[in-house]
Amino acid sequence: MKNNITRKYNTPYQLKLPLEIEKIIEISDPVYTFCEVMENIDLRKYLAVKESRTGRKRYSPEILLKIILFAFMENGYVSTREIEKLCKTDIRFMYLLDEHPAPSHMTIDNFMNEILAVSISDIFNEINGYIFKEENVDVNHIYIDGTKIAANANKYSWVWKKSSVKNRKKTFDKVTVLLDEINKTLIYHGVKFGLREEYAIEYLEEISEKYAELCNINPDVIVRGRGHHKTTEQRNYDKLNEYIEKLKKYAEHISICGEDRNSYSKTDSGATFFRMKRDYMGNDQLLPAYNVQAAICDEYIAVIDAKPYASDQDCFVPLMEKFKEIYGHYPKYPVADAGYGSYNNYLYCEEHGMEKYMKFTMFEKETKNEKYHTNPYRAVNFRRDAEGKLICPNNKKFVFKYNKHVKGNKYGRTEELYECESCEGCPNKTECCKSTKGNRTVRINRELTTFHEEVISNLESIHGALLCMNRSIQSEGTFGIIKWDRDYKRLFRRGKESVLLELTLISCGYNLYKYHNKKASCQHCYLTGAMHSKK
């Protein structure tokens, strides 16, 4: 007797969807705001790819772009595997797929690396163009801030520029000693290699080839390893090639560091070792990171950039140049904290028609500490005689000594050095002069002092006070949302280009998220006002 086996191919939990997915997505869902933006901008010109003649048809780049941007809009940073999972489980992503199958994480990753890495900046500008037009965003007032975000690099993979320079110098000395020994062995050949303080790698490679030729050394058949007897010529030859390899390594390290930084990470050459505010190592150790800079306009990210510089002062000019490249003009009012105030940046603003609303290092003490501001022993508070010479509180004149160039200044800034004619027997010397020996000297830069006075005047006005208040709300608030609300505290990609791709995607998602929230807030205010008017 046969067993009657029946199989059920359905379960009580079988998924049933209506024909129109829109019916189960709330009307206030962010996906509709996202689709509004996507439908009003033409992104196909940035996604054009050449189809291969053989193989499977390429996945639609427009759909891939939509699901990636919407994922970043909803969640901040999202991995490719999470996006793949969302496409299979989230009804809103199914709506964006428009009956296409869910792409694999490798498809998404290849699209991001091959196409988005090239065109993401233009796509970001297109999205901003639509949002800024709809929201009437003011791009003349920008609020600047920076934060250091840890790189995806190994903690102990540092390379120090100063160590490389020092070790290269030691290697040069060793090469000189070695060449001196080689010259002694070649005295019967009538050949003598020139000795120098520094050696070009090409010059040493020529010496290596010539030495092998003179001593009949064949690099392919010479003995290697321990336990083998080497001739003096072979030992010199091996040692010279060892020094050449070391010099190549040091030259590469110095080249990657460049002139503007002193370190980099071996696992991410774009990252520099900084001292971070939040040290997850807990031992006050330098960690690889990027200095991420953002320019905010009406709560939207207008420009995002990542630099390997420890100081925010060095990041200001590149950020403004990037702003000019995107929007076609420099902002009228760049507002920033004391980390950006410097002679170089003030002069740069002066040259490009920008107002100076950046604090300088001693701004708070200069404006709020009355005792410091009115200190009679400060050089700026010294009175001048009819000839314009400085007079100290003890009625001693200061004599001009010379002009001193300021180290690291790109605009040829100089300071005037003055020395008191005599501090001997002065009753105020302990309060006036820090040094117990010699006369007091002061350094004065009249142009920088004028800049500081202009900055104080700008920031203490009503307009300046409002701009400073807005900066603390908008720029610091933006980083607060990205780093804390969306839990983005460390980079996931390596290399400067990949880092910029990641940060630009996060900026696109943030602006779309902010646009939806503002739009929803306006609709709520409109409905609330309409209800009150009916009452």
Side-chain angles (χ1 to χ4, degrees):
M1 185 176 179
K2 296 182 179 180
N3 293 331
N4 188 13
I5 300 175
T6 58
R7 295 182 179 178
K8 292 184 178 181
Y9 293 96
N10 66 318
T11 66
Y13 304 105
Q14 187 172 359
L15 181 63
K16 296 180 180 178
L17 292 177
L19 294 177
E20 297 181 4
I21 298 179
E22 296 95 324
K23 290 184 178 180
I24 57 176
I25 301 177
E26 293 185 4
I27 194 171
S28 61
D29 196 273
V31 71
Y32 293 119
T33 303
F34 175 78
C35 289
E36 172 206 334
V37 177
M38 292 296 107
E39 289 170 0
N40 284 278
I41 56 179
D42 182 18
L43 299 177
R44 289 175 294 179
K45 55 187 176 182
Y46 305 117
L47 303 176
V49 292
K50 294 182 180 180
E51 288 287 348
S52 58
R53 296 183 180 179
T54 59
R56 189 171 59 179
K57 186 178 179 181
R58 184 185 291 270
Y59 202 97
S60 172
E62 290 86 356
I63 292 177
L64 286 173
L65 177 64
K66 286 182 180 180
I67 61 174
I68 291 171
L69 290 179
F70 185 66
F72 277 83
M73 174 185 176
E74 277 288 276
N75 305 290
Y77 181 83
V78 189
S79 68
T80 55
R81 293 182 184 273
E82 289 175 347
I83 296 175
E84 178 187 3
K85 183 178 179 181
L86 288 170
C87 290
K88 295 177 180 178
T89 58
D90 195 315
I91 192 70
R92 298 173 300 173
F93 284 83
M94 297 178 188
Y95 171 64
L96 292 175
L97 287 173
D98 193 22
E99 299 184 357
H100 285 75
S104 68
H105 68 276
M106 286 303 300
T107 301
I108 299 170
D109 188 62
N110 291 336
F111 172 74
M112 293 173 70
N113 294 330
E114 296 174 6
I115 300 176
L116 273 191
V118 178
S119 58
I120 187 61
S121 297
D122 296 325
I123 293 172
F124 177 57
N125 297 337
E126 286 279 351
I127 293 172
N128 279 357
Y130 175 78
I131 295 176
F132 286 10
K133 182 179 179 182
E134 291 294 312
E135 293 287 309
N136 294 320
V137 173
D138 179 15
V139 292
N140 279 320
H141 291 77
I142 68 168
Y143 307 97
I144 303 167
D145 198 11
T147 184
K148 293 180 176 66
I149 298 182
N152 182 15
N154 295 356
K155 296 182 284 293
Y156 302 110
S157 60
W158 50 65
V159 174
W160 306 110
K161 180 181 176 181
K162 291 182 179 179
S163 296
S164 297
V165 173
K166 183 178 179 181
N167 291 331
R168 185 176 66 169
K169 178 64 173 62
K170 290 181 179 179
T171 306
F172 285 151
D173 296 338
K174 292 179 181 179
V175 169
T176 300
V177 175
L178 178 61
L179 290 181
D180 189 40
E181 294 180 2
I182 290 175
N183 286 336
K184 293 178 181 178
T185 61
L186 296 177
I187 190 171
Y188 297 107
H189 293 273
V191 176
K192 184 177 181 180
F193 298 119
L195 305 181
R196 304 174 183 177
E197 292 185 1
E198 296 184 358
Y199 298 91
I201 295 174
E202 295 79 7
Y203 174 66
L204 294 179
E205 288 177 342
E206 291 179 4
I207 291 177
S208 176
E209 293 177 3
K210 185 67 174 176
Y211 184 66
E213 179 184 347
L214 293 172
C215 298
N216 297 321
I217 298 175
N218 187 354
D220 298 328
V221 297
I222 57 178
V223 294
R224 300 287 185 187
R226 299 174 63 182
H228 295 281
H229 176 71
K230 296 181 181 180
T231 63
T232 303
E233 291 79 6
Q234 184 182 340
R235 283 198 297 270
N236 291 338
Y237 176 80
D238 290 343
K239 193 177 292 186
L240 179 60
N241 284 298
E242 179 186 343
Y243 291 156
I244 291 173
E245 293 303 317
K246 284 186 177 181
L247 290 174
K248 286 181 179 179
K249 181 180 67 174
Y250 296 143
E252 181 184 5
H253 293 339
I254 296 170
S255 175
I256 293 175
C257 284
E259 297 181 359
D260 300 321
R261 57 178 180 157
N262 295 318
S263 65
Y264 76 92
S265 171
K266 292 179 182 177
T267 48
D268 183 359
S269 60
T272 307
F273 280 80
F274 299 136
R275 200 171 298 281
M276 308 283 285
K277 289 182 179 178
R278 289 184 55 83
D279 179 16
Y280 58 86
M281 293 288 289
N283 56 3
D284 196 31
Q285 180 175 288
L286 297 175
L287 297 172
Y290 284 85
N291 194 346
V292 179
Q293 299 289 315
I296 314 298
C297 297
D298 290 348
E299 300 182 39
Y300 293 105
I301 299 176
V303 181
I304 192 77
D305 202 2
K307 293 296 180 184
Y309 310 137
S311 173
D312 288 337
Q313 293 179 2
D314 300 327
C315 301
F316 178 76
V317 173
L319 190 69
M320 292 298 97
E321 289 298 326
K322 192 171 183 179
F323 185 96
K324 168 68 165 54
E325 182 182 352
I326 295 172
Y327 299 99
H329 64 87
Y330 293 99
K332 183 69 175 176
Y333 302 97
V335 187
D337 60 15
Y340 297 85
S342 68
Y343 179 85
N344 287 351
N345 292 342
Y346 290 144
L347 196 56
Y348 177 82
C349 291
E350 187 84 12
E351 291 177 350
H352 297 92
M354 294 184 282
E355 298 293 332
K356 303 172 192 66
Y357 283 86
M358 298 172 291
K359 294 179 181 179
F360 49 91
T361 306
M362 300 295 288
F363 177 82
E364 295 294 328
K365 203 168 185 179
E366 184 77 36
T367 55
K368 296 182 180 180
N369 191 331
E370 186 67 23
K371 183 178 180 181
Y372 172 82
H373 182 71
T374 58
N375 185 359
Y377 303 110
R378 289 181 62 208
V380 293
N381 292 330
F382 286 177
R383 60 187 179 87
R384 293 180 180 270
D385 61 8
E387 299 177 357
K389 293 183 179 180
L390 294 172
I391 306 296
C392 74
N394 196 33
N395 294 322
K396 297 291 184 178
K397 292 184 179 181
F398 275 75
V399 182
F400 173 76
K401 301 295 288 184
Y402 55 84
N403 284 325
K404 181 181 179 182
H405 178 73
V406 178
K407 183 180 179 182
N409 190 268
K410 300 177 182 179
Y411 291 90
R413 172 187 165 192
T414 58
E415 292 178 331
E416 298 174 353
L417 191 77
Y418 294 86
E419 183 180 359
C420 182
E421 58 182 356
S422 177
C423 290
E424 187 177 354
C426 178
N428 305 321
K429 187 171 183 178
T430 55
E431 298 180 8
C432 179
C433 185
K434 294 182 180 179
S435 176
T436 57
K437 297 181 180 180
N439 299 325
R440 181 184 175 182
T441 59
V442 297
R443 295 178 298 174
I444 295 179
N445 186 298
R446 297 181 183 180
E447 191 172 5
L448 181 61
T449 304
T450 304
F451 284 153
H452 284 177
E453 292 174 354
E454 183 180 352
V455 171
I456 292 174
S457 175
N458 289 340
L459 292 177
E460 288 188 340
S461 65
I462 296 176
H463 185 214
L466 291 173
L467 290 180
C468 286
M469 180 182 67
N470 268 322
R471 194 207 70 83
S472 61
I473 294 170
Q474 295 197 29
S475 60
E476 295 180 11
T478 297
F479 281 122
I481 293 172
I482 291 175
K483 294 179 68 175
W484 297 101
D485 294 357
R486 299 196 154 200
D487 197 28
Y488 179 72
K489 300 172 185 175
R490 188 174 182 182
L491 295 165
F492 291 88
R493 293 175 175 265
R494 291 181 175 180
K496 184 178 179 181
E497 293 182 359
S498 297
V499 166
L500 283 176
L501 167 64
E502 182 178 320
L503 291 172
T504 309
L505 282 172
I506 288 173
S507 301
C508 289
Y510 176 84
N511 284 355
L512 290 166
Y513 155 84
K514 179 65 69 173
Y515 176 63
H516 169 73
N517 286 349
K518 285 192 173 185
K519 187 178 176 183
S521 178
C522 291
Q523 290 175 351
H524 175 73
C525 293
Y526 174 77
L527 293 174
T528 305
M531 292 174 62
H532 283 294
S533 63
K534 288 182 180 179
K535 291 180 181 180

